[in-house]
Amino acid sequence: MQLLALALYHRDGRKTPRVLRFRPGALNILTGESETGKSEVLSIVDYCLGRRAPNLPDDLIDQTVGWYVLLVAFADRSRMVMARPRPTGASTLHAFVRTGGESLDIPQAHELIHNTNVAALRAELSARLGIEDFRFQPPTGAARNPFDVSVAQASLLCFQSQNEIADQTALFHRQTEPGMAQTLKDTLPYFLGAAGPEQALRRHRLGEAQRAQRAAQRRLDDALRHQQAMDANGLALVRLAEREGLLTDTPAAPTTAQVLDLLYQALAAAPQTAAPLGLRDRRQELSEERRLLREQLQEFDDALAAVDRWQQQGHAFTGELHLQLDRLKTLDLLGPERQHNNHLCPMCTQPLQHPDPSAQDISELTDHLAQELVQAQTLQPVREEHRRALQTERGRITERLRLNGAQLRELLASDENLRNLQEQNLRVAHIQGRISEALTRTGTDSDLTQLSNDLALAQENAATLEQLVDEDDVSAETERRLADIAVDMTAWAKRLNLGGSADATEVGISLKLLNVVVRRPAGRLPLTRIGSAKNHIGYHLVAHLALHSYLRRNNRPVPGFLMLDQPTQAFFPEKPRDASTVQDADWTTVTAYFQLLNDVVQFNEGALQIIVCDHANLADKWFQEATIGNWRPDPDGNRRALIPPEWLD
C-alpha cells in the first residue's frame, strides 16, 4: 500500500479542498519554511489510517478543517479512500471508507458522511494489506491483554516524527508511549515473517497445556498429602468413633485399609438422634395448657377487680342516699308552713323571680330517693353471690395450674436422659463431620491412579506442544531476519560515515532494546552510547530504510511507505525559518542523506515510497524532481502552506 493523495476539506463544505498529491514508488520531498504545516502531514496520515487518539495540533488546521481524506493504492491496483472527520474532544470513532479501481479519486465534499467506524476501517485496510486474521496471545503469566494484529501495529513501522527521528533511546514510532514497546516486540517477528498465527496459536496452546499440567500436579500432590494425613489422623478418628459407640470390636493396631473401612462404618452407623416423640408432645401439651390457664386466671382476676369496684361504688351510693334522706326527713316537722306560697319571699313577702320548691315537691323527691335506696340494697346480695362464684372458679383454675406445674417438673426430671442423648448426638455429629471431611480429601488407590494418569497425559501434551514451539524457534528466526536487515544497515552506515561504523562488524536492530546496536570487535555499542544528533538521525535512517527494503523484498503485510519528518534538523544551529538560506550548514552530509533516500527508492524499484518533510531545498536535479511541494512564498510574496490563505479570511 502506498499513498496517492491527502486532502483537507473546509468545515463549511463549500471551499475547494486542499489536495497534496504523492508519487507512488518514488521519493517525495515536501520542503518549505517553518510553521507551514509540513510536520502535520505525518500526523494527519497517521490519523486517517485509524489512530484512535489523534495527535493533531489545535491551531489553524483544527479551526478550519472539517474532514481529513487519504487516498491509497494497493499492489493489485485497487484503491481505497479513508476519511476521518475533525475529532471532537480527544478522539472520534467515525470514519468514511470507499473502495474502487484505478479511477477512484478523492470524493466531493457533499459525499463525505459517516458510513463506518475506526474498527471497520482498520479491519478493511488490514485485510487488503494481507495481515492474517489472528489474535496475539501474550505468554503465560504475562500481565498484559491479548490483541488483534492489524494495521494499527504495522503502521508503527512507517512513521518517524521530528522528535522520534533524533531520539537516541527509541527507534520506532510511538515507542515511548505506555505499552507500545511491548506491542512492537510482540508483533515485529510476525511482520518480519519469523512468526505467524500458527506459532501464536501453538504458544497459546502450550501455555494452556502447561497450566493444565501444573493443575494436575497440584491435584495429585494434594491427594498424596491428604492420604499421608489420613495415616496419621485416621486412627485417632477411629478411637473417637469407638468411644461414642459408633464402632465395636475394633482391632488394637488396624492397618491403613482397615482404618478406612472402619471410618466408612462409623460414618454409616448413625445412632438414634431424635428425642422420643411422646415426651416432646406431652411437654408441648402441658406448656400449652399452662399458657391457657394463666390467661384464664388473668381474666378472673380482672372480673373480681371489676366486681370490687362495683361494690365500692354501690356502698358509696347508698351511703349518700341515707345521708340525703335523713336531711329531708326534717320536713315532717312542718305545720301550717306547708301551705306557704312558694312564689313569695317568707321574710319580705315580695314576689320571687324564681319560685322555691314547694314542700309537696320535696316530699315527693324524698319518697323517690327512698325507693332507689331500697332497690340499691336489693342488688347487694346479687353482687356478693357473683363475687363468690368468681372466687370459686378462680380457685379451681389455681389448682389446675398447681397440678400442671407439678406434672411439668416431673416430666423435666424424667427428661434428663433425653438431654444426655442430645449431647451425645452432638458429639457424634461432630465426629462424623470430621470423618466425612477426611474421607472426602483422601482418595482411594484408584483415585490416585487416575490422578497419576491425568498428570502423565498433561505432561505428554505439554511436551508435544513444547517440541512444536521449539521447532518454530521464533526468536532464532527473528534474529536471522534481523541479521539480513543488518547487512544493508552496515553498508549504509559506513556510506554515511556514522559514528562507530568505521570499525563495525555489524550494525543491526536489537529486538530486546528496540534500538540500533553497533557490534565491533571491542564489544557491542548501543545507540544510547553514541553521541551527536547527526549520528542518531543517520542510524534511524539506515535502520528504517533497511527494514523497509527487507519488508518489500519479502512481500510482508506492512504499508509500502516511509514518512520522515525533519531528517536534517541536526545540521542547523537552531530551528531555521528557511534552511536553504543557512550557509554554514554541512550541506555535503545533508546531500548524502537525501542521496541515500533516493538510491534506496531506486533500489526497491517502485515497491517503496518515501515521503520527507524538511526545511532543506537542494538545487540538485534529482532533488527538485522529487519535490512535490515547496511551501515558501511565491515571487509575489503570497504565502504557501498546508492551509490555503483564503481559508483564513
Side-chain angles (χ1 to χ4, degrees):
M1 182 193 83
Q2 296 184 359
L3 311 184
L4 296 180
L6 176 67
L8 309 183
Y9 291 72
H10 197 277
R11 293 172 66 175
D12 64 10
R14 295 190 300 272
K15 294 183 172 63
T16 303
R18 174 69 162 97
V19 181
L20 181 62
R21 299 282 180 176
F22 302 105
R23 296 184 301 151
L27 175 62
N28 295 256
I29 300 174
L30 180 61
T31 182
E33 296 181 350
S34 298
E35 301 178 357
T36 54
K38 300 186 303 300
S39 296
E40 280 66 40
V41 173
L42 184 149
S43 298
I44 294 172
V45 173
D46 194 9
Y47 177 58
C48 289
L49 292 179
R51 181 171 178 179
R52 294 182 182 275
N55 190 27
L56 303 176
D58 185 16
D59 56 9
L60 298 178
I61 296 177
D62 185 66
Q63 298 170 18
T64 57
V65 177
W67 280 85
Y68 302 91
V69 178
L70 185 65
L71 176 65
V72 301
F74 299 94
D76 60 358
R77 297 189 178 183
S78 63
R79 293 186 178 186
M80 182 176 177
V81 172
M82 295 167 287
R84 302 283 302 280
R86 168 184 172 270
T88 55
S91 63
T92 180
L93 299 179
H94 299 304
F96 169 85
V97 170
R98 176 179 291 174
T99 58
E102 292 184 273
S103 61
L104 181 66
D105 204 349
I106 60 172
Q108 299 294 322
H110 67 272
E111 297 177 304
L112 294 174
I113 58 173
H114 302 155
N115 65 359
T116 187
N117 55 38
V118 171
L121 184 153
R122 284 183 170 179
E124 175 72 16
L125 188 54
S126 299
R128 289 179 173 271
L129 283 172
I131 298 177
E132 295 166 282
D133 185 13
F134 76 100
R135 190 168 182 81
F136 179 82
Q137 297 288 345
T140 303
R144 56 186 191 274
N145 298 322
F147 59 87
D148 295 322
V149 178
S150 69
V151 69
Q153 295 83 37
S155 63
L156 298 176
L157 309 178
C158 300
F159 298 103
Q160 285 285 279
S161 67
Q162 181 177 353
N163 295 330
E164 294 167 341
I165 200 170
D167 191 346
Q168 68 180 124
T169 62
L171 180 61
F172 295 100
H173 182 49
R174 300 175 60 191
Q175 179 179 329
T176 57
E177 296 181 14
M180 283 300 180
Q182 188 60 54
T183 298
L184 286 162
K185 292 179 182 179
D186 292 338
T187 56
L188 187 56
Y190 167 72
F191 291 120
L192 291 176
E198 298 82 6
Q199 289 86 348
L201 181 59
R202 287 172 184 167
R203 286 184 176 275
H204 176 63
R205 288 178 176 174
L206 175 60
E208 296 291 336
Q210 290 173 338
R211 282 194 290 272
Q213 177 183 337
R214 291 192 293 270
Q217 185 68 60
R218 284 195 301 271
R219 288 193 295 269
L220 179 59
D221 292 343
D222 289 343
L224 292 173
R225 185 170 58 255
H226 291 311
Q227 188 179 53
Q228 294 172 357
M230 176 59 70
D231 294 340
N233 301 328
L235 184 59
L237 292 174
V238 168
R239 297 308 179 198
L240 287 174
E242 183 181 15
R243 189 178 65 185
E244 296 298 335
L246 294 175
L247 295 173
T248 59
D249 300 330
T250 59
T255 63
T256 301
Q258 289 176 328
V259 168
L260 289 175
D261 291 339
L262 290 171
L263 291 178
Y264 278 113
Q265 292 177 21
L267 190 62
Q272 179 67 35
T273 59
L277 183 60
L279 292 179
R280 292 205 307 269
D281 291 344
R282 180 57 180 161
R283 184 167 53 190
Q284 184 175 358
E285 290 175 1
L286 290 174
S287 297
E288 180 65 19
E289 181 186 16
R290 189 172 186 82
R291 184 185 65 81
L292 294 175
L293 290 174
R294 286 185 178 278
E295 290 179 356
Q296 293 176 10
L297 184 63
Q298 183 63 43
E299 291 176 357
F300 280 110
D301 287 342
D302 294 341
L304 285 171
V307 170
D308 289 341
R309 289 194 301 272
W310 187 18
Q311 190 81 350
Q312 292 173 1
Q313 292 173 0
H315 283 302
F317 178 68
T318 56
E320 182 67 21
L321 286 178
H322 278 293
L323 177 63
Q324 297 299 330
L325 283 174
D326 291 341
R327 293 173 60 187
L328 291 174
K329 285 181 179 180
T330 58
L331 295 176
D332 295 336
L333 301 177
L334 295 176
E337 293 85 357
R338 288 177 176 269
Q339 304 302 322
H340 174 71
N341 187 355
N342 59 340
H343 290 82
L344 299 175
C345 175
M347 299 296 295
C348 63
T349 68
Q350 294 295 324
L352 296 175
Q353 185 178 358
H354 301 287
D356 292 332
S358 65
Q360 182 63 31
D361 293 337
I362 296 175
S363 297
E364 291 177 359
L365 176 61
T366 302
D367 294 339
H368 178 70
L369 289 176
Q371 292 176 3
E372 287 187 355
L373 179 60
V374 172
Q375 292 177 357
Q377 289 175 342
T378 59
L379 292 176
Q380 185 67 21
V382 177
R383 288 198 294 267
E384 289 293 338
E385 181 64 25
H386 181 60
R387 190 174 188 280
R388 285 192 296 270
L390 290 176
Q391 287 177 337
T392 301
E393 189 65 24
R394 184 183 184 282
R396 187 180 63 81
I397 296 298
T398 303
E399 180 62 20
R400 289 180 62 187
L401 271 175
R402 187 187 63 79
L403 293 175
N404 178 274
Q407 291 174 347
L408 274 176
R409 286 191 295 273
E410 292 176 0
L411 186 61
L412 291 175
S414 65
D415 203 30
E416 183 67 25
N417 293 333
L418 177 61
R419 287 196 295 272
N420 294 335
L421 178 61
Q422 289 176 339
E423 292 176 0
Q424 183 186 12
N425 288 340
L426 290 176
R427 294 194 301 271
V428 167
H430 178 68
I431 293 172
Q432 288 182 327
R434 292 177 59 185
I435 293 174
S436 177
E437 181 182 9
L439 292 176
T440 301
R441 292 185 174 184
T442 303
T444 63
D445 291 339
S446 60
D447 295 333
L448 293 176
T449 301
Q450 181 62 44
L451 291 175
S452 299
N453 292 336
D454 293 343
L455 176 59
L457 290 174
Q459 290 173 336
E460 182 180 356
N461 186 33
T464 302
L465 290 171
E466 189 172 1
Q467 183 178 1
L468 292 175
V469 171
D470 290 341
E471 289 175 357
D472 291 339
D473 201 2
V474 174
S475 299
E477 185 63 22
T478 301
E479 291 299 327
R480 188 187 69 78
R481 293 172 187 261
L482 289 175
D484 290 345
I485 296 172
V487 174
D488 289 337
M489 288 180 61
T490 305
W492 293 337
K494 292 179 180 294
R495 171 177 169 175
L496 296 180
N497 194 27
L498 299 178
S501 65
D503 58 345
T505 58
E506 183 183 81
V507 177
I509 298 174
S510 169
L511 182 62
K512 180 180 180 180
L513 299 177
L514 287 181
N515 209 341
V516 175
V517 173
V518 179
R519 295 178 175 87
R520 305 175 301 168
R524 191 179 70 165
L525 188 66
L527 186 60
T528 53
R529 294 182 56 194
I530 300 176
S532 172
K534 165 192 169 182
N535 290 321
H536 303 156
I537 294 175
Y539 278 115
H540 273 251
L541 286 179
V542 299
H544 285 279
L545 291 175
L547 173 62
H548 276 270
S549 296
Y550 173 86
L551 296 173
R552 301 281 61 81
R553 287 197 304 269
N554 293 274
N555 195 29
R556 298 305 301 159
V558 176
F561 70 87
L562 174 63
M563 295 193 72
L564 307 171
D565 185 24
Q566 310 296 340
T568 66
Q569 58 186 285
F571 301 98
F572 308 110
E574 58 184 9
K575 186 176 180 180
R577 179 66 183 175
D578 186 356
S580 62
T581 63
V582 179
Q583 300 298 323
D584 57 350
D586 187 357
W587 289 106
T588 301
T589 305
V590 170
T591 302
Y593 278 21
F594 275 103
Q595 185 65 61
L596 175 62
L597 295 174
N598 190 57
D599 291 346
V600 171
V601 168
Q602 300 299 324
F603 170 74
N604 282 277
E605 298 179 345
L608 177 63
Q609 177 188 41
I610 298 179
I611 301 171
V612 183
C613 301
D614 202 89
H615 296 292
N617 185 22
L618 304 180
D620 302 74
K621 180 180 179 182
W622 59 267
F623 187 97
Q624 295 300 318
E625 290 176 348
T627 300
I628 60 172
N630 188 342
W631 292 348
R632 293 178 173 83
D634 61 17
D636 296 331
N638 297 320
R639 183 176 182 272
R640 289 185 289 190
L642 179 63
I643 300 299
E646 59 270 19
W647 284 21
L648 307 178
D649 295 338

